[in-house]
Amino acid sequence: MSILDSLLEKKTILPILDTYRFRGDQTAIIAPSSLMTLVDLLMSEGFHFLVDITAVDWLDKSENPARFEVVYHWLNLDSQERLRVKVRLQDGESLPSLAIRFKTADWYEREVYDMFGISFEGHPNLTRLLTWSDFPGHPLRKDFPLDGGDPFCMSDSTTPFTH
Amino acid sequence: MLWAKVPLIGKNKMPDLNLNDAVVTTRLDSIVNWARKNSLWPMPFGTACCAIEFMSVMASKYDMSRFGAEAMRFSPRQSDMMLVLGTVTNKMAPILRTIYAQMAEPKWVISVGVCASSGGMYRTYATLQGIDRIIPVDVYVPGCPPRPESMIYGVMKLQEKIEKESLGMRKDHVRRFYESLDLQEKIQSEKNLTGQQAIQHMLRQAAHDKVATIF
Amino acid sequence: MDSIAITKTQLDGDRMIVNMGPSHPVTHGTLRIVLELEGEIITQATPEIGYLHRGVEKLGENLSYQQFIPLTDRLNYTSSMMNNVGYTMTVEKMLGISIPRRAEQIRVLVSELARIADHIICLGINAVDIGAFTAFLYLFRQRETVYDLFEMAAGQRLHTSFTRVGGLFRDLPPEFIPLCEQFLKEAPKAIDELEKLLTKNPIWHDRTKGVGALSVQEAINWGYSGPCLRACGLAQDLRVKQPYMGYEQYDFDIPVGTTGDVFDRYLVRVEEMRQSLRIIRQVIKSLDTGPIMIDDYKIALPPKEKVYTRMESLIHHFKLIMHGMEMPIGEVYSSTEAANGELGFYLVSDGGKNPYRIRVRPPCLPIFSSFATKVRGRLIADAVAELGAMNIIAGELDR
């Protein structure tokens, strides 16, 4: 039985908003409030390996009001089964941090905070990971321009030398 | 370059000195530069892919020691030629300036690869579009990454350049950089900014003045 | 950089702050570690990364699927072939296509060569950091041969961009296999030489044994993968556990360690190079003849001579370049066993020409995140050995 089926069986304790399979990848969408319940369930099912945490910004494309999707990838090292869990969030909402359960979540959550501005409650040190501390904005948001609003006057870098 | 034959000097008699044998007249520039160009002390400021290729340059097959640039030093204070190998991001910009300031004079810089020279394929919010905006560069080596041969060619080009340059000009060059560094520190302390913000401020000012660099 | 600077008031008498990086000989690439020392013992380490953050993921959203391939080279620049393979596999998974057998075999061949080159750099530089310079010079001869092979195949030594969605950029030239066979003869000797220099060297033992040891449960919790996880004692190798590109056809072993310390990681990497040579031998023996590109002009560019002579091919060419491939709407995650561990790509497509979101799961980010905890209470010299054995590649760490 795949993990999606066993998750759907436990619908009473874990409300699942949607599930689907695409190209062999299993995805479950849950509400932010049931994230910790899901983590406990997954741990008991043997999903001890948190592969990745990232997010997607659906600025204007989303049909529902949620702007962000935080995406978790889990791997079961015994059965080699993978599961993707998505949590939908509005701008300004926050998620519980998984850093207590998975040490690897620490930096991933910092990166998501850095790149998308999504905050995680209970994170031990939620600071920027890749950009610098006074960086304006969050670069992977869709409304952030690729050149970042030209903070270092890069567009003038082709100006001829007039020394 | 010729070395003069110095005649032996007897105990009590004045040497029978032929001035042409004992003294070589030359310009100070050319003799100093001759010494400089053959004893370059490189420091790799390796940030990315080009640094991996630079390992090949230093390792057994390509072997840069054949060109008098053998003594690789990782401390800027012990080196006079910096090779900037790889992408320099905005976060890295103040560090690059500090490292350049710490280098022993005369400071030469080779910008290796397109990322260091112009930002290359990374025209994004995070990447500095060419290190020549913040520090003086002597030779640019194109390529992504350049082959080891091109890096060696870059060093040879620098040697040619050193041979021709005047000592006064080099001093002037470095002085102008120190002036800009003083300005940066002044801005930093006056406005209570980080190094990065100060550089950003100076670049903005430079763009306003229609100047390409901040030094 | 001021965010983690420590003020004078925080310092008491005996402690000293050492700033390792961002420009430092033993930091592989650009990263910064602020070490608080008591004598030579590290009481606290604060890593700061992002000095090579070039905005690759953001750039990927502005490029087409094919245009992103050159950027994957520059993630883990010591084994770019594997990044190419991992990324194109993800796009192929999204499209739901399978590629010709010969292309798969060549991908395996170049991936394993890249693995050897990556391990050579990791081991050589780790040894240099610890003070053993000779191994570096011995190993780099073999690495040059690997780069000669890459240059033959792809035209570039380091940044190969060899794969394309649906196959390969071009077929192997006829001189490739003879040189590869010669490499197969010479490389085992070089690996033996390396082992002679290091494996029984008492100084190497003193510097590496017991440094950075970790239990399997801890390693999984930290998100370890690749040689670092296998050195802890878990035989997790995606090539065997979740076979892709026909890895199940080849006969090879997964080396595992027991303690997960630097010495075990070294042994695992050395053995992996031998196993890679085994795979290469089998690939060459069973190399298929046939096409190296999928026969679908909606995905692969038609051959140049056809573009110049046939109207239809010209239209395909134009459509593919201007409008891109017809991507289904959806999302996929695909991972490969890269030299450092699990290299994953997560693609979100909205059906457009460019990926809507492209995420690289770098293997060394979770590994490096454990650095601060692991070196606390250890000597500063151990931190150097540990950092080298983690094989941090700043390009994929910061992206």
Side-chain angles (χ1 to χ4, degrees):
Chain A
M1 193 165 71
S2 74
I3 180 70
L4 270 194
D5 296 331
S6 53
L7 281 182
L8 284 170
E9 264 182 17
K10 288 172 183 129
K11 245 183 167 169
T12 42
I13 42 170
L14 179 78
I16 290 177
L17 303 179
D18 194 10
T19 59
Y20 54 89
R21 291 185 171 86
F22 179 71
R23 308 275 189 232
D25 287 9
Q26 310 181 79
T27 310
I29 302 174
I30 58 161
S33 52
S34 45
L35 181 66
M36 286 324 256
T37 328
L38 176 97
V39 170
D40 291 338
L41 242 162
L42 285 178
M43 294 278 263
S44 66
E45 295 271 349
F47 282 77
H48 297 293
F49 193 82
L50 176 60
V51 180
D52 192 20
I53 303 176
T54 185
V56 183
D57 179 9
W58 294 99
L59 180 58
D60 302 320
K61 298 215 170 188
S62 178
E63 298 103 39
N64 48 34
R67 175 174 174 183
F68 296 108
E69 261 175 2
V70 179
V71 186
Y72 297 83
H73 285 96
W74 264 283
L75 170 66
N76 186 334
L77 285 168
D78 300 319
S79 65
Q80 300 292 326
E81 196 180 0
R82 286 180 190 275
L83 176 70
R84 177 184 307 131
V85 175
K86 297 212 277 189
V87 185
R88 288 185 176 145
L89 284 180
Q90 284 187 46
D91 200 357
E93 278 184 327
S94 65
L95 268 180
S97 166
L98 299 191
I100 317 141
R101 304 292 173 84
F102 301 94
K103 288 174 185 163
T104 178
D106 185 336
W107 278 25
Y108 283 140
E109 283 172 357
R110 276 178 70 186
E111 192 186 334
V112 172
Y113 167 72
D114 188 355
M115 293 290 137
F116 292 91
I118 298 167
S119 56
F120 293 86
E121 278 163 37
H123 190 283
N125 176 29
L126 198 64
T127 48
R128 283 180 182 272
L129 183 70
L130 297 175
T131 56
W132 49 99
S133 54
D134 57 319
F135 187 84
H138 300 282
L140 280 179
R141 287 188 175 206
K142 287 283 174 185
D143 50 7
F144 188 90
L146 178 61
D147 67 355
D150 210 7
F152 279 68
C153 300
M154 296 186 292
S155 50
D156 301 297
S157 62
T158 43
T159 314
F161 220 117
T162 51
H163 244 3
Chain B
M1 193 71 196
L2 287 169
W3 289 117
K5 282 182 278 174
V6 182
L8 285 169
I9 299 166
K11 226 178 185 182
N12 291 323
K13 74 178 188 206
M14 281 287 288
D16 183 16
L17 206 76
N18 182 352
L19 208 62
N20 285 335
D21 284 346
V23 177
V24 173
T25 49
T26 176
R27 286 185 305 125
L28 181 67
D29 283 6
S30 67
I31 188 157
V32 170
N33 285 337
W34 169 82
R36 278 178 173 180
K37 82 167 189 173
N38 290 308
S39 67
L40 292 167
W41 289 53
M43 186 206 119
F45 186 82
T47 59
C49 336
C50 293
I52 302 292
E53 201 64 338
F54 184 69
M55 284 180 198
S56 293
V57 178
M58 279 299 175
S60 17
K61 191 171 170 183
Y62 292 98
D63 192 12
M64 199 152 80
S65 45
R66 295 176 294 158
F67 301 90
E70 180 181 16
M72 187 156 70
R73 288 293 179 271
F74 288 100
S75 166
R77 296 185 198 282
Q78 296 167 2
S79 58
D80 55 11
M81 172 176 73
M82 177 159 67
L83 293 121
V84 182
L85 305 148
T87 322
V88 176
T89 57
N90 293 344
K91 198 170 178 174
M92 201 70 178
I95 295 136
L96 180 64
R97 266 171 80 86
T98 315
I99 299 269
Y100 180 81
Q102 286 173 349
M103 245 191 346
E105 275 179 56
K107 309 158 189 278
W108 292 291
V109 176
I110 301 185
S111 158
V112 178
V114 290
C115 287
S117 305
S118 72
M121 61 208 294
Y122 298 102
R123 197 174 177 90
T124 61
Y125 57 90
T127 315
L128 189 73
Q129 302 297 304
I131 57 163
D132 51 1
R133 309 203 66 204
I134 55 169
I135 60 167
V137 175
D138 292 288
V139 176
Y140 300 86
V141 182
C144 187
R147 286 187 58 89
E149 289 92 333
S150 355
M151 287 195 204
I152 291 173
Y153 185 67
V155 173
M156 288 163 75
K157 276 281 159 200
L158 180 67
Q159 287 177 332
E160 271 174 39
K161 185 177 176 176
I162 294 169
E163 204 176 358
K164 285 172 198 156
E165 81 189 354
S166 98
L167 297 180
M169 208 179 82
R170 176 53 60 179
K171 269 197 176 143
D172 197 46
H173 204 63
V174 174
R175 185 185 48 76
R176 219 168 59 213
F177 173 78
Y178 279 126
E179 276 169 13
S180 86
L181 201 68
D182 289 342
L183 180 67
Q184 183 193 333
E185 270 159 21
K186 201 176 132 215
I187 294 171
Q188 243 170 287
S189 59
E190 264 178 16
K191 302 192 174 172
N192 200 14
L193 298 176
T194 61
Q196 208 173 354
Q197 287 166 330
I199 290 176
Q200 197 175 331
H201 182 91
M202 286 166 80
L203 278 169
R204 240 183 242 140
Q205 187 60 41
H208 181 257
D209 298 344
K210 297 262 177 266
V211 193
T213 63
I214 59 170
F215 51 84
Chain C
M1 67 187 290
D2 303 77
S3 55
I4 54 169
I6 293 149
T7 54
K8 267 184 189 159
T9 47
Q10 283 172 286
L11 281 175
D12 49 28
D14 297 333
R15 282 197 290 169
M16 192 173 94
I17 304 291
V18 171
N19 197 1
M20 222 162 106
S23 172
H24 190 271
V26 304
T27 59
H28 295 208
T30 49
L31 41 94
R32 178 172 180 232
I33 306 156
V34 181
L35 296 170
E36 267 181 68
L37 301 174
E38 232 173 57
E40 260 194 273
I41 309 280
I42 298 165
T43 53
Q44 199 181 343
T46 318
E48 160 114 7
I49 64 168
Y51 289 98
L52 196 58
H53 175 64
R54 315 186 263 203
V56 171
E57 288 176 7
K58 184 83 182 174
L59 204 54
E61 290 171 9
N62 293 276
L63 298 172
S64 74
Y65 288 91
Q66 296 276 22
Q67 282 174 323
F68 190 69
I69 295 171
L71 287 174
T72 62
D73 290 332
R74 288 147 185 88
L75 292 171
N76 183 344
Y77 31 74
T78 55
S79 53
S80 31
M81 281 287 191
M82 271 191 275
N83 297 276
N84 298 160
V85 171
Y87 172 69
T88 41
M89 262 180 61
T90 315
V91 183
E92 283 153 11
K93 185 176 176 183
M94 177 83 100
L95 287 162
I97 55 170
S98 57
I99 62 166
R101 190 172 133 82
R102 184 178 168 82
E104 269 188 352
Q105 285 176 319
I106 294 175
R107 280 187 187 183
V108 170
L109 177 65
V110 293
S111 297
E112 294 308 316
L113 283 171
R115 191 184 309 278
I116 293 171
D118 191 292
H119 285 347
I120 284 176
I121 293 181
C122 173
L123 296 176
I125 303 302
N126 196 4
V128 169
D129 289 348
I130 294 178
F133 192 71
T134 325
F136 170 81
L137 290 174
Y138 274 61
L139 281 171
F140 265 52
R141 285 208 315 261
Q142 299 309 317
R143 182 174 161 271
E144 285 300 331
T145 319
V146 175
Y147 282 167
D148 285 348
L149 285 166
F150 283 176
E151 193 176 10
M152 237 178 224
Q156 241 269 33
R157 285 161 52 87
L158 209 59
H159 294 327
T160 45
S161 304
F162 188 46
T163 59
R164 292 288 180 276
V165 179
L168 301 170
F169 154 55
R170 65 182 183 201
D171 205 346
L172 296 178
E175 316 89 63
F176 186 89
I177 298 295
L179 185 61
C180 197
E181 274 164 353
Q182 195 195 330
F183 172 72
L184 286 174
K185 279 197 200 99
E186 283 167 7
K189 285 182 209 154
I191 299 172
D192 289 345
E193 270 177 352
L194 166 76
E195 286 224 87
K196 261 183 216 161
L197 285 167
L198 295 179
T199 307
K200 287 183 182 163
N201 184 336
I203 305 171
W204 179 253
H205 282 210
D206 287 350
R207 290 297 303 277
T208 57
K209 275 198 172 167
V211 177
L214 203 65
S215 71
V216 176
Q217 284 74 28
E218 282 275 292
I220 292 169
N221 202 275
W222 275 117
Y224 272 44
S225 53
C228 292
L229 179 60
R230 290 193 282 275
C232 296
L234 185 74
Q236 166 71 11
D237 190 325
L238 295 177
R239 291 176 293 171
V240 176
K241 295 287 168 96
Q242 301 177 10
Y244 54 93
M245 279 192 323
Y247 265 112
E248 65 276 7
Q249 304 158 16
Y250 309 112
D251 180 30
F252 63 100
D253 303 319
I254 318 174
V256 288
T258 48
T259 57
D261 60 6
V262 176
F263 188 68
D264 272 16
R265 277 179 241 166
Y266 155 76
L267 289 179
V268 165
R269 287 203 170 98
V270 169
E271 191 50 39
E272 268 186 21
M273 291 203 282
R274 293 217 173 89
Q275 296 301 328
S276 292
L277 290 172
R278 257 177 90 185
I279 297 172
I280 295 169
R281 244 175 240 126
Q282 292 170 48
V283 173
I284 290 181
K285 217 174 261 172
S286 64
L287 201 58
D288 209 34
T289 49
I292 45 106
M293 201 65 185
I294 193 170
D295 189 25
D296 181 353
Y297 294 151
K298 294 264 186 293
I299 291 162
L301 283 175
K304 247 321 179 251
E305 59 268 25
K306 276 194 181 172
V307 175
Y308 289 140
T309 51
R310 302 257 180 87
M311 188 63 200
E312 207 174 79
S313 296
L314 183 67
I315 293 168
H316 280 307
H317 183 100
F318 180 79
K319 280 284 281 181
L320 205 54
I321 297 290
M322 297 310 288
H323 303 280
M325 292 172 287
E326 279 170 30
M327 295 303 277
I329 296 171
E331 64 207 308
V332 288
Y333 175 83
S334 148
S335 54
T336 53
E337 185 70 30
N340 269 354
E342 177 173 339
L343 173 73
F345 286 94
Y346 172 59
L347 271 181
V348 181
S349 158
D350 61 346
K353 185 191 175 195
N354 302 344
Y356 188 74
R357 167 91 171 94
I358 199 160
R359 155 80 179 163
V360 186
R361 189 264 179 198
C364 63
L365 181 90
I367 294 176
F368 185 58
S369 70
S370 72
F371 182 79
T373 320
K374 280 177 97 177
V375 299
R376 196 173 299 141
R378 302 214 58 120
L379 295 175
I380 190 167
D382 292 347
V384 172
E386 173 67 28
L387 190 65
M390 279 180 169
N391 196 11
I392 309 300
I393 305 293
E396 70 175 9
L397 181 73
D398 299 342
R399 283 152 286 133

